[in-house]
Amino acid sequence: MTDIVVKNVDVPMLREQRDALVAAIEDVEDIGSPWGDAETIEFREKQIESLDGIVNLLDAMIDSAEGFGD
């Protein structure tokens, strides 16, 4: 595993961006769930899974910046 250090991170703004991403994911799940063929639904699910991974990364960054990830 490689540690990446990013100086001068605005943690409140990072949290706002994380929350906006979570809201967008929830919107896509709510709006798109009954629409599309099986291939489209599978593609959307993979996209949401990838975005969830980014949310997890942002959570880890926020925890680390606030001293909880040590």
Side-chain angles (χ1 to χ4, degrees):
M1 182 197 277
T2 302
D3 290 338
I4 299 172
V5 177
V6 180
K7 296 180 181 182
N8 301 320
V9 173
D10 184 340
V11 176
M13 183 171 59
L14 188 63
R15 186 178 303 283
E16 286 178 23
Q17 291 169 335
R18 178 242 180 243
D19 292 345
L21 180 57
V22 168
I25 292 168
E26 290 172 353
D27 286 347
V28 169
E29 288 175 328
D30 291 343
I31 294 169
S33 58
W35 305 104
D37 59 14
E39 186 177 329
T40 303
I41 292 169
E42 182 179 345
F43 177 74
R44 186 180 307 116
E45 288 173 352
K46 287 181 181 180
Q47 285 183 317
I48 291 170
E49 187 176 309
S50 292
L51 293 173
D52 283 337
I54 295 171
V55 170
N56 291 334
L57 174 63
L58 292 171
D59 284 338
M61 291 172 64
I62 292 166
D63 287 348
S64 179
E66 293 177 337
F68 297 117
D70 298 334

